[in-house]
PDB file of all heavy atoms in Angstrom:
ATOM      1  N   ALA K   1       0.848  -1.216   0.015  1.00 97.00           N
ATOM      2  CA  ALA K   1       0.014  -0.026  -0.035  1.00 97.00           C
ATOM      3  C   ALA K   1       0.847   1.270  -0.009  1.00 97.00           C
ATOM      4  O   ALA K   1       0.556   2.226  -0.624  1.00 97.00           O
ATOM      5  CB  ALA K   1      -0.909   0.039   1.200  1.00 97.00           C
ATOM      6  N   CYS K   2       1.937   1.204   0.740  1.00 97.00           N
ATOM      7  CA  CYS K   2       2.783   2.399   0.830  1.00 97.00           C
ATOM      8  C   CYS K   2       3.452   2.637  -0.471  1.00 97.00           C
ATOM      9  O   CYS K   2       3.610   3.775  -0.926  1.00 97.00           O
ATOM     10  CB  CYS K   2       3.820   2.155   1.922  1.00 97.00           C
ATOM     11  SG  CYS K   2       4.572   3.651   2.582  1.00 97.00           S
ATOM     12  N   LEU K   3       3.960   1.586  -1.206  1.00 97.00           N
ATOM     13  CA  LEU K   3       4.516   1.780  -2.476  1.00 97.00           C
ATOM     14  C   LEU K   3       3.529   2.297  -3.515  1.00 97.00           C
ATOM     15  O   LEU K   3       3.858   3.161  -4.331  1.00 97.00           O
ATOM     16  CB  LEU K   3       5.099   0.383  -2.982  1.00 97.00           C
ATOM     17  CG  LEU K   3       6.351  -0.047  -2.213  1.00 97.00           C
ATOM     18  CD1 LEU K   3       6.590  -1.538  -2.479  1.00 97.00           C
ATOM     19  CD2 LEU K   3       7.581   0.734  -2.660  1.00 97.00           C
ATOM     20  N   GLU K   4       2.323   1.792  -3.431  1.00 98.00           N
ATOM     21  CA  GLU K   4       1.279   2.288  -4.369  1.00 98.00           C
ATOM     22  C   GLU K   4       0.980   3.757  -4.148  1.00 98.00           C
ATOM     23  O   GLU K   4       0.816   4.532  -5.070  1.00 98.00           O
ATOM     24  CB  GLU K   4      -0.043   1.448  -4.233  1.00 98.00           C
ATOM     25  CG  GLU K   4      -1.092   1.863  -5.214  1.00 98.00           C
ATOM     26  CD  GLU K   4      -2.352   0.947  -5.137  1.00 98.00           C
ATOM     27  OE1 GLU K   4      -2.336   0.071  -4.295  1.00 98.00           O
ATOM     28  OE2 GLU K   4      -3.269   1.234  -5.924  1.00 98.00           O
ATOM     29  N   GLU K   5       0.972   4.147  -2.847  1.00 98.00           N
ATOM     30  CA  GLU K   5       0.742   5.557  -2.495  1.00 98.00           C
ATOM     31  C   GLU K   5       1.798   6.409  -3.176  1.00 98.00           C
ATOM     32  O   GLU K   5       1.555   7.488  -3.624  1.00 98.00           O
ATOM     33  CB  GLU K   5       0.787   5.651  -1.011  1.00 98.00           C
ATOM     34  CG  GLU K   5       0.552   7.098  -0.528  1.00 98.00           C
ATOM     35  CD  GLU K   5       0.793   7.167   0.988  1.00 98.00           C
ATOM     36  OE1 GLU K   5       1.675   6.489   1.566  1.00 98.00           O
ATOM     37  OE2 GLU K   5       0.010   7.964   1.678  1.00 98.00           O
ATOM     38  N   LYS K   6       3.047   5.975  -3.111  1.00 97.00           N
ATOM     39  CA  LYS K   6       4.129   6.834  -3.767  1.00 97.00           C
ATOM     40  C   LYS K   6       3.979   6.942  -5.251  1.00 97.00           C
ATOM     41  O   LYS K   6       4.280   8.053  -5.771  1.00 97.00           O
ATOM     42  CB  LYS K   6       5.513   6.159  -3.462  1.00 97.00           C
ATOM     43  CG  LYS K   6       5.761   5.948  -1.938  1.00 97.00           C
ATOM     44  CD  LYS K   6       5.327   7.086  -1.062  1.00 97.00           C
ATOM     45  CE  LYS K   6       5.093   6.628   0.345  1.00 97.00           C
ATOM     46  NZ  LYS K   6       4.280   7.514   1.184  1.00 97.00           N
ATOM     47  N   LEU K   7       3.486   5.947  -5.926  1.00 97.00           N
ATOM     48  CA  LEU K   7       3.237   6.064  -7.326  1.00 97.00           C
ATOM     49  C   LEU K   7       2.134   7.058  -7.628  1.00 97.00           C
ATOM     50  O   LEU K   7       2.302   7.915  -8.577  1.00 97.00           O
ATOM     51  CB  LEU K   7       2.762   4.714  -7.868  1.00 97.00           C
ATOM     52  CG  LEU K   7       3.772   3.541  -7.854  1.00 97.00           C
ATOM     53  CD1 LEU K   7       3.133   2.229  -8.237  1.00 97.00           C
ATOM     54  CD2 LEU K   7       4.934   3.897  -8.817  1.00 97.00           C
ATOM     55  N   LEU K   8       1.070   7.105  -6.831  1.00 98.00           N
ATOM     56  CA  LEU K   8      -0.014   8.079  -7.021  1.00 98.00           C
ATOM     57  C   LEU K   8       0.411   9.487  -6.647  1.00 98.00           C
ATOM     58  O   LEU K   8       0.041  10.444  -7.286  1.00 98.00           O
ATOM     59  CB  LEU K   8      -1.237   7.654  -6.187  1.00 98.00           C
ATOM     60  CG  LEU K   8      -1.805   6.278  -6.530  1.00 98.00           C
ATOM     61  CD1 LEU K   8      -3.021   5.970  -5.629  1.00 98.00           C
ATOM     62  CD2 LEU K   8      -2.263   6.213  -8.021  1.00 98.00           C
ATOM     63  N   LEU K   9       1.299   9.593  -5.647  1.00 98.00           N
ATOM     64  CA  LEU K   9       1.785  10.910  -5.279  1.00 98.00           C
ATOM     65  C   LEU K   9       2.647  11.482  -6.380  1.00 98.00           C
ATOM     66  O   LEU K   9       2.644  12.725  -6.656  1.00 98.00           O
ATOM     67  CB  LEU K   9       2.580  10.852  -3.998  1.00 98.00           C
ATOM     68  CG  LEU K   9       1.780  10.643  -2.718  1.00 98.00           C
ATOM     69  CD1 LEU K   9       2.669  10.484  -1.519  1.00 98.00           C
ATOM     70  CD2 LEU K   9       0.791  11.769  -2.478  1.00 98.00           C
ATOM     71  N   THR K  10       3.394  10.651  -7.032  1.00 97.00           N
ATOM     72  CA  THR K  10       4.246  11.078  -8.148  1.00 97.00           C
ATOM     73  C   THR K  10       3.377  11.594  -9.292  1.00 97.00           C
ATOM     74  O   THR K  10       3.671  12.671  -9.924  1.00 97.00           O
ATOM     75  CB  THR K  10       5.191   9.955  -8.666  1.00 97.00           C
ATOM     76  OG1 THR K  10       5.889   9.428  -7.599  1.00 97.00           O
ATOM     77  CG2 THR K  10       6.091  10.360  -9.758  1.00 97.00           C
ATOM     78  N   GLU K  11       2.340  10.861  -9.578  1.00 97.00           N
ATOM     79  CA  GLU K  11       1.380  11.313 -10.642  1.00 97.00           C
ATOM     80  C   GLU K  11       0.751  12.610 -10.285  1.00 97.00           C
ATOM     81  O   GLU K  11       0.657  13.537 -11.099  1.00 97.00           O
ATOM     82  CB  GLU K  11       0.316  10.206 -10.829  1.00 97.00           C
ATOM     83  CG  GLU K  11      -0.659  10.484 -11.926  1.00 97.00           C
ATOM     84  CD  GLU K  11      -1.700   9.391 -12.115  1.00 97.00           C
ATOM     85  OE1 GLU K  11      -1.492   8.273 -11.562  1.00 97.00           O
ATOM     86  OE2 GLU K  11      -2.706   9.619 -12.822  1.00 97.00           O
ATOM     87  N   TYR K  12       0.317  12.802  -9.051  1.00 98.00           N
ATOM     88  CA  TYR K  12      -0.311  14.023  -8.567  1.00 98.00           C
ATOM     89  C   TYR K  12       0.695  15.170  -8.654  1.00 98.00           C
ATOM     90  O   TYR K  12       0.358  16.281  -9.170  1.00 98.00           O
ATOM     91  CB  TYR K  12      -0.761  13.783  -7.146  1.00 98.00           C
ATOM     92  CG  TYR K  12      -1.208  15.034  -6.411  1.00 98.00           C
ATOM     93  CD1 TYR K  12      -2.518  15.546  -6.636  1.00 98.00           C
ATOM     94  CD2 TYR K  12      -0.380  15.708  -5.528  1.00 98.00           C
ATOM     95  CE1 TYR K  12      -2.988  16.696  -5.930  1.00 98.00           C
ATOM     96  CE2 TYR K  12      -0.799  16.856  -4.828  1.00 98.00           C
ATOM     97  CZ  TYR K  12      -2.104  17.331  -5.059  1.00 98.00           C
ATOM     98  OH  TYR K  12      -2.568  18.434  -4.372  1.00 98.00           O
ATOM     99  N   PHE K  13       1.918  14.943  -8.257  1.00 98.00           N
ATOM    100  CA  PHE K  13       2.882  16.020  -8.270  1.00 98.00           C
ATOM    101  C   PHE K  13       3.161  16.501  -9.682  1.00 98.00           C
ATOM    102  O   PHE K  13       3.242  17.689 -10.016  1.00 98.00           O
ATOM    103  CB  PHE K  13       4.219  15.454  -7.627  1.00 98.00           C
ATOM    104  CG  PHE K  13       5.200  16.503  -7.150  1.00 98.00           C
ATOM    105  CD1 PHE K  13       6.268  16.127  -6.516  1.00 98.00           C
ATOM    106  CD2 PHE K  13       4.985  17.873  -7.374  1.00 98.00           C
ATOM    107  CE1 PHE K  13       7.178  17.069  -5.993  1.00 98.00           C
ATOM    108  CE2 PHE K  13       5.825  18.798  -6.926  1.00 98.00           C
ATOM    109  CZ  PHE K  13       6.981  18.459  -6.259  1.00 98.00           C
ATOM    110  N   ARG K  14       3.290  15.548 -10.620  1.00 98.00           N
ATOM    111  CA  ARG K  14       3.509  15.896 -12.036  1.00 98.00           C
ATOM    112  C   ARG K  14       2.409  16.701 -12.627  1.00 98.00           C
ATOM    113  O   ARG K  14       2.590  17.697 -13.346  1.00 98.00           O
ATOM    114  CB  ARG K  14       3.798  14.666 -12.830  1.00 98.00           C
ATOM    115  CG  ARG K  14       5.208  14.035 -12.613  1.00 98.00           C
ATOM    116  CD  ARG K  14       5.355  12.609 -13.160  1.00 98.00           C
ATOM    117  NE  ARG K  14       4.870  12.542 -14.580  1.00 98.00           N
ATOM    118  CZ  ARG K  14       5.672  12.772 -15.643  1.00 98.00           C
ATOM    119  NH1 ARG K  14       6.940  13.069 -15.457  1.00 98.00           N
ATOM    120  NH2 ARG K  14       5.157  12.598 -16.866  1.00 98.00           N
ATOM    121  N   GLN K  15       1.160  16.307 -12.304  1.00 98.00           N
ATOM    122  CA  GLN K  15       0.031  17.050 -12.854  1.00 98.00           C
ATOM    123  C   GLN K  15      -0.024  18.494 -12.343  1.00 98.00           C
ATOM    124  O   GLN K  15      -0.272  19.354 -13.056  1.00 98.00           O
ATOM    125  CB  GLN K  15      -1.264  16.340 -12.435  1.00 98.00           C
ATOM    126  CG  GLN K  15      -1.470  14.999 -13.162  1.00 98.00           C
ATOM    127  CD  GLN K  15      -2.760  14.297 -12.786  1.00 98.00           C
ATOM    128  OE1 GLN K  15      -3.576  14.891 -12.084  1.00 98.00           O
ATOM    129  NE2 GLN K  15      -2.919  13.083 -13.178  1.00 98.00           N
ATOM    130  N   LYS K  16       0.258  18.641 -11.017  1.00 98.00           N
ATOM    131  CA  LYS K  16       0.257  19.959 -10.460  1.00 98.00           C
ATOM    132  C   LYS K  16       1.387  20.835 -10.985  1.00 98.00           C
ATOM    133  O   LYS K  16       1.196  22.028 -11.285  1.00 98.00           O
ATOM    134  CB  LYS K  16       0.468  19.828  -8.909  1.00 98.00           C
ATOM    135  CG  LYS K  16      -0.821  19.369  -8.217  1.00 98.00           C
ATOM    136  CD  LYS K  16      -1.907  20.448  -8.317  1.00 98.00           C
ATOM    137  CE  LYS K  16      -3.166  19.968  -7.489  1.00 98.00           C
ATOM    138  NZ  LYS K  16      -4.282  21.040  -7.580  1.00 98.00           N
ATOM    139  N   LEU K  17       2.527  20.226 -11.264  1.00 97.00           N
ATOM    140  CA  LEU K  17       3.583  20.999 -11.880  1.00 97.00           C
ATOM    141  C   LEU K  17       3.265  21.510 -13.228  1.00 97.00           C
ATOM    142  O   LEU K  17       3.589  22.649 -13.620  1.00 97.00           O
ATOM    143  CB  LEU K  17       4.894  20.157 -11.941  1.00 97.00           C
ATOM    144  CG  LEU K  17       5.662  19.924 -10.584  1.00 97.00           C
ATOM    145  CD1 LEU K  17       6.642  18.814 -10.714  1.00 97.00           C
ATOM    146  CD2 LEU K  17       6.269  21.185 -10.084  1.00 97.00           C
ATOM    147  N   VAL K  18       2.631  20.645 -14.063  1.00 97.00           N
ATOM    148  CA  VAL K  18       2.209  21.049 -15.367  1.00 97.00           C
ATOM    149  C   VAL K  18       1.239  22.232 -15.308  1.00 97.00           C
ATOM    150  O   VAL K  18       1.312  23.192 -16.068  1.00 97.00           O
ATOM    151  CB  VAL K  18       1.609  19.886 -16.190  1.00 97.00           C
ATOM    152  CG1 VAL K  18       0.962  20.376 -17.426  1.00 97.00           C
ATOM    153  CG2 VAL K  18       2.686  18.854 -16.452  1.00 97.00           C
ATOM    154  N   GLU K  19       0.253  22.195 -14.304  1.00 97.00           N
ATOM    155  CA  GLU K  19      -0.641  23.292 -14.134  1.00 97.00           C
ATOM    156  C   GLU K  19       0.070  24.578 -13.801  1.00 97.00           C
ATOM    157  O   GLU K  19      -0.420  25.686 -14.081  1.00 97.00           O
ATOM    158  CB  GLU K  19      -1.636  22.894 -13.046  1.00 97.00           C
ATOM    159  CG  GLU K  19      -2.632  21.846 -13.409  1.00 97.00           C
ATOM    160  CD  GLU K  19      -3.474  21.389 -12.194  1.00 97.00           C
ATOM    161  OE1 GLU K  19      -3.456  22.053 -11.203  1.00 97.00           O
ATOM    162  OE2 GLU K  19      -4.167  20.339 -12.341  1.00 97.00           O
ATOM    163  N   MET K  20       1.224  24.496 -13.163  1.00 96.00           N
ATOM    164  CA  MET K  20       2.035  25.673 -12.797  1.00 96.00           C
ATOM    165  C   MET K  20       2.914  26.107 -13.879  1.00 96.00           C
ATOM    166  O   MET K  20       3.629  27.108 -13.731  1.00 96.00           O
ATOM    167  CB  MET K  20       2.868  25.313 -11.570  1.00 96.00           C
ATOM    168  CG  MET K  20       2.077  25.109 -10.313  1.00 96.00           C
ATOM    169  SD  MET K  20       3.095  24.357  -8.943  1.00 96.00           S
ATOM    170  CE  MET K  20       4.414  25.572  -8.785  1.00 96.00           C
ATOM    171  N   GLY K  21       2.872  25.479 -15.057  1.00 95.00           N
ATOM    172  CA  GLY K  21       3.690  25.945 -16.211  1.00 95.00           C
ATOM    173  C   GLY K  21       5.003  25.254 -16.372  1.00 95.00           C
ATOM    174  O   GLY K  21       5.758  25.604 -17.267  1.00 95.00           O
ATOM    175  N   PHE K  22       5.319  24.244 -15.555  1.00 97.00           N
ATOM    176  CA  PHE K  22       6.511  23.509 -15.675  1.00 97.00           C
ATOM    177  C   PHE K  22       6.378  22.386 -16.760  1.00 97.00           C
ATOM    178  O   PHE K  22       5.292  21.963 -17.123  1.00 97.00           O
ATOM    179  CB  PHE K  22       6.865  22.823 -14.370  1.00 97.00           C
ATOM    180  CG  PHE K  22       7.449  23.762 -13.319  1.00 97.00           C
ATOM    181  CD1 PHE K  22       6.610  24.470 -12.494  1.00 97.00           C
ATOM    182  CD2 PHE K  22       8.784  24.001 -13.250  1.00 97.00           C
ATOM    183  CE1 PHE K  22       7.158  25.281 -11.514  1.00 97.00           C
ATOM    184  CE2 PHE K  22       9.329  24.840 -12.308  1.00 97.00           C
ATOM    185  CZ  PHE K  22       8.480  25.516 -11.448  1.00 97.00           C
ATOM    186  N   LYS K  23       7.524  22.042 -17.251  1.00 97.00           N
ATOM    187  CA  LYS K  23       7.620  20.919 -18.125  1.00 97.00           C
ATOM    188  C   LYS K  23       8.099  19.712 -17.292  1.00 97.00           C
ATOM    189  O   LYS K  23       8.906  19.830 -16.308  1.00 97.00           O
ATOM    190  CB  LYS K  23       8.710  21.127 -19.252  1.00 97.00           C
ATOM    191  CG  LYS K  23       8.317  22.246 -20.188  1.00 97.00           C
ATOM    192  CD  LYS K  23       7.132  21.914 -21.083  1.00 97.00           C
ATOM    193  CE  LYS K  23       6.899  22.993 -22.128  1.00 97.00           C
ATOM    194  NZ  LYS K  23       5.730  22.624 -23.024  1.00 97.00           N
ATOM    195  N   VAL K  24       7.620  18.510 -17.620  1.00 96.00           N
ATOM    196  CA  VAL K  24       7.987  17.353 -16.907  1.00 96.00           C
ATOM    197  C   VAL K  24       8.531  16.295 -17.882  1.00 96.00           C
ATOM    198  O   VAL K  24       8.208  16.361 -19.095  1.00 96.00           O
ATOM    199  CB  VAL K  24       6.833  16.751 -16.097  1.00 96.00           C
ATOM    200  CG1 VAL K  24       6.417  17.684 -15.002  1.00 96.00           C
ATOM    201  CG2 VAL K  24       5.683  16.350 -17.039  1.00 96.00           C
ATOM    202  N   GLY K  25       9.388  15.380 -17.361  1.00 93.00           N
ATOM    203  CA  GLY K  25       9.958  14.367 -18.271  1.00 93.00           C
ATOM    204  C   GLY K  25       8.873  13.329 -18.646  1.00 93.00           C
ATOM    205  O   GLY K  25       7.711  13.472 -18.246  1.00 93.00           O
ATOM    206  N   PRO K  26       9.232  12.321 -19.433  1.00 92.00           N
ATOM    207  CA  PRO K  26       8.323  11.291 -19.802  1.00 92.00           C
ATOM    208  C   PRO K  26       7.673  10.628 -18.616  1.00 92.00           C
ATOM    209  O   PRO K  26       8.288  10.628 -17.496  1.00 92.00           O
ATOM    210  CB  PRO K  26       9.180  10.267 -20.581  1.00 92.00           C
ATOM    211  CG  PRO K  26      10.441  11.060 -21.007  1.00 92.00           C
ATOM    212  CD  PRO K  26      10.583  12.068 -19.949  1.00 92.00           C
ATOM    213  N   LYS K  27       6.447  10.202 -18.691  1.00 92.00           N
ATOM    214  CA  LYS K  27       5.801   9.542 -17.594  1.00 92.00           C
ATOM    215  C   LYS K  27       6.677   8.408 -17.081  1.00 92.00           C
ATOM    216  O   LYS K  27       6.982   7.429 -17.751  1.00 92.00           O
ATOM    217  CB  LYS K  27       4.458   9.016 -18.024  1.00 92.00           C
ATOM    218  CG  LYS K  27       3.589   8.430 -16.878  1.00 92.00           C
ATOM    219  CD  LYS K  27       2.248   7.929 -17.423  1.00 92.00           C
ATOM    220  CE  LYS K  27       1.365   7.489 -16.222  1.00 92.00           C
ATOM    221  NZ  LYS K  27       1.945   6.485 -15.414  1.00 92.00           N
ATOM    222  N   PRO K  28       7.037   8.445 -15.787  1.00 94.00           N
ATOM    223  CA  PRO K  28       7.878   7.390 -15.270  1.00 94.00           C
ATOM    224  C   PRO K  28       7.118   6.131 -15.012  1.00 94.00           C
ATOM    225  O   PRO K  28       5.964   6.103 -14.762  1.00 94.00           O
ATOM    226  CB  PRO K  28       8.400   8.025 -13.917  1.00 94.00           C
ATOM    227  CG  PRO K  28       7.311   8.926 -13.495  1.00 94.00           C
ATOM    228  CD  PRO K  28       6.634   9.471 -14.790  1.00 94.00           C
ATOM    229  N   ASP K  29       7.814   5.030 -14.991  1.00 95.00           N
ATOM    230  CA  ASP K  29       7.217   3.779 -14.600  1.00 95.00           C
ATOM    231  C   ASP K  29       6.993   3.731 -13.055  1.00 95.00           C
ATOM    232  O   ASP K  29       6.037   3.080 -12.625  1.00 95.00           O
ATOM    233  CB  ASP K  29       8.134   2.581 -15.021  1.00 95.00           C
ATOM    234  CG  ASP K  29       8.219   2.411 -16.482  1.00 95.00           C
ATOM    235  OD1 ASP K  29       7.239   2.671 -17.144  1.00 95.00           O
ATOM    236  OD2 ASP K  29       9.337   1.997 -16.991  1.00 95.00           O
ATOM    237  N   LEU K  30       7.905   4.395 -12.319  1.00 96.00           N
ATOM    238  CA  LEU K  30       7.807   4.278 -10.877  1.00 96.00           C
ATOM    239  C   LEU K  30       7.689   5.708 -10.253  1.00 96.00           C
ATOM    240  O   LEU K  30       6.908   6.440 -10.703  1.00 96.00           O
ATOM    241  CB  LEU K  30       9.127   3.523 -10.393  1.00 96.00           C
ATOM    242  CG  LEU K  30       9.312   2.148 -11.081  1.00 96.00           C
ATOM    243  CD1 LEU K  30      10.577   1.563 -10.594  1.00 96.00           C
ATOM    244  CD2 LEU K  30       8.136   1.233 -10.806  1.00 96.00           C
ATOM    245  N   SER K  31       8.466   5.985  -9.222  1.00 96.00           N
ATOM    246  CA  SER K  31       8.256   7.204  -8.441  1.00 96.00           C
ATOM    247  C   SER K  31       9.399   8.222  -8.506  1.00 96.00           C
ATOM    248  O   SER K  31       9.515   9.070  -7.674  1.00 96.00           O
ATOM    249  CB  SER K  31       7.989   6.832  -6.995  1.00 96.00           C
ATOM    250  OG  SER K  31       9.154   6.264  -6.404  1.00 96.00           O
ATOM    251  N   VAL K  32      10.236   8.045  -9.497  1.00 95.00           N
ATOM    252  CA  VAL K  32      11.264   9.059  -9.782  1.00 95.00           C
ATOM    253  C   VAL K  32      10.928   9.791 -11.111  1.00 95.00           C
ATOM    254  O   VAL K  32      10.573   9.120 -12.123  1.00 95.00           O
ATOM    255  CB  VAL K  32      12.628   8.411  -9.913  1.00 95.00           C
ATOM    256  CG1 VAL K  32      13.683   9.332 -10.482  1.00 95.00           C
ATOM    257  CG2 VAL K  32      13.070   7.910  -8.545  1.00 95.00           C
ATOM    258  N   SER K  33      11.085  11.111 -11.124  1.00 95.00           N
ATOM    259  CA  SER K  33      10.804  11.888 -12.305  1.00 95.00           C
ATOM    260  C   SER K  33      11.628  13.096 -12.253  1.00 95.00           C
ATOM    261  O   SER K  33      12.455  13.311 -11.344  1.00 95.00           O
ATOM    262  CB  SER K  33       9.263  12.182 -12.422  1.00 95.00           C
ATOM    263  OG  SER K  33       8.933  12.764 -13.652  1.00 95.00           O
ATOM    264  N   TYR K  34      11.323  14.039 -13.177  1.00 96.00           N
ATOM    265  CA  TYR K  34      12.074  15.327 -13.137  1.00 96.00           C
ATOM    266  C   TYR K  34      11.212  16.407 -13.798  1.00 96.00           C
ATOM    267  O   TYR K  34      10.241  16.106 -14.539  1.00 96.00           O
ATOM    268  CB  TYR K  34      13.421  15.199 -13.782  1.00 96.00           C
ATOM    269  CG  TYR K  34      13.404  14.818 -15.309  1.00 96.00           C
ATOM    270  CD1 TYR K  34      13.352  15.735 -16.255  1.00 96.00           C
ATOM    271  CD2 TYR K  34      13.490  13.464 -15.673  1.00 96.00           C
ATOM    272  CE1 TYR K  34      13.370  15.412 -17.651  1.00 96.00           C
ATOM    273  CE2 TYR K  34      13.457  13.041 -16.973  1.00 96.00           C
ATOM    274  CZ  TYR K  34      13.418  14.083 -17.915  1.00 96.00           C
ATOM    275  OH  TYR K  34      13.375  13.740 -19.297  1.00 96.00           O
ATOM    276  N   PHE K  35      11.573  17.670 -13.520  1.00 96.00           N
ATOM    277  CA  PHE K  35      10.789  18.748 -14.064  1.00 96.00           C
ATOM    278  C   PHE K  35      11.773  20.013 -14.270  1.00 96.00           C
ATOM    279  O   PHE K  35      12.853  20.028 -13.742  1.00 96.00           O
ATOM    280  CB  PHE K  35       9.625  19.138 -13.177  1.00 96.00           C
ATOM    281  CG  PHE K  35      10.056  19.667 -11.812  1.00 96.00           C
ATOM    282  CD1 PHE K  35      10.104  20.999 -11.571  1.00 96.00           C
ATOM    283  CD2 PHE K  35      10.255  18.806 -10.785  1.00 96.00           C
ATOM    284  CE1 PHE K  35      10.446  21.503 -10.318  1.00 96.00           C
ATOM    285  CE2 PHE K  35      10.564  19.307  -9.516  1.00 96.00           C
ATOM    286  CZ  PHE K  35      10.653  20.633  -9.296  1.00 96.00           C
ATOM    287  N   TRP K  36      11.313  20.901 -15.058  1.00 97.00           N
ATOM    288  CA  TRP K  36      12.065  22.133 -15.266  1.00 97.00           C
ATOM    289  C   TRP K  36      11.081  23.210 -15.736  1.00 97.00           C
ATOM    290  O   TRP K  36      10.027  22.953 -16.257  1.00 97.00           O
ATOM    291  CB  TRP K  36      13.239  21.984 -16.281  1.00 97.00           C
ATOM    292  CG  TRP K  36      12.807  21.846 -17.728  1.00 97.00           C
ATOM    293  CD1 TRP K  36      12.827  22.797 -18.701  1.00 97.00           C
ATOM    294  CD2 TRP K  36      12.317  20.616 -18.401  1.00 97.00           C
ATOM    295  NE1 TRP K  36      12.310  22.302 -19.875  1.00 97.00           N
ATOM    296  CE2 TRP K  36      12.026  20.991 -19.715  1.00 97.00           C
ATOM    297  CE3 TRP K  36      12.068  19.291 -17.979  1.00 97.00           C
ATOM    298  CZ2 TRP K  36      11.525  20.061 -20.607  1.00 97.00           C
ATOM    299  CZ3 TRP K  36      11.573  18.414 -18.870  1.00 97.00           C
ATOM    300  CH2 TRP K  36      11.303  18.771 -20.138  1.00 97.00           C
TER     301      TRP K  36
END
């Protein structure tokens, strides 16, 4: 459950960053990503 939670938090974070005008890397398989 904890691991699944981290996957969903990563997805949430990326969506919010895009709303703020940031670019994000390709959709990750897991819970590491990047933005600029």
Side-chain angles (χ1 to χ4, degrees):
C2 203
L3 289 164
E4 183 176 3
E5 179 186 39
K6 305 318 158 197
L7 294 171
L8 298 179
L9 289 176
T10 304
E11 183 180 347
Y12 172 79
F13 201 173
R14 283 168 51 88
Q15 289 180 11
K16 286 292 185 180
L17 285 167
V18 171
E19 291 174 11
M20 292 167 58
F22 282 88
K23 298 288 187 181
V24 295
K27 186 178 185 304
D29 292 325
L30 307 176
S31 65
V32 167
S33 187
Y34 61 90
F35 65 96
W36 73 99

